[in-house]
Amino acid sequence: VYALAASLSSKEAFETGAVVLFPVGFNFEVYSILYSRNAFWISYTNTLFYTVFGTMWSMLISTTGAYALAKR
């Protein structure tokens, strides 16, 4: 909650320690910079790739091992 509040607060409010639980002086500039950078989208695509194919690979290995263990 603190990290979200800090990211949505103004720089001055964060530096003075005014941010505790709720954002102070809303500022969305950080998010506009983040989403405009190409590196963010490349990283997000990598995350999706590893999640999808990592899950598929784990399921393949697990089901193969379970089948082998189920047979006499």
Side-chain angles (χ1 to χ4, degrees):
V1 173
Y2 175 74
L4 181 63
S7 69
L8 290 173
S9 297
S10 67
K11 182 179 178 183
E12 295 79 21
F14 177 74
E15 289 177 348
T16 59
V19 179
V20 179
L21 186 59
F22 297 106
V24 177
F26 281 95
N27 183 3
F28 294 102
E29 183 179 344
V30 173
Y31 288 100
S32 65
I33 293 170
L34 176 70
Y35 294 139
S36 68
R37 303 267 169 114
N38 196 25
F40 170 78
W41 295 110
I42 291 171
S43 301
Y44 192 68
T45 303
N46 287 340
T47 299
L48 291 175
F49 175 80
Y50 289 129
T51 300
V52 170
F53 288 104
T55 301
M56 289 172 44
W57 177 252
S58 295
M59 290 298 295
L60 176 70
I61 297 299
S62 297
T63 54
T64 304
Y67 178 78
L69 291 171
K71 296 296 176 181
R72 286 187 182 242

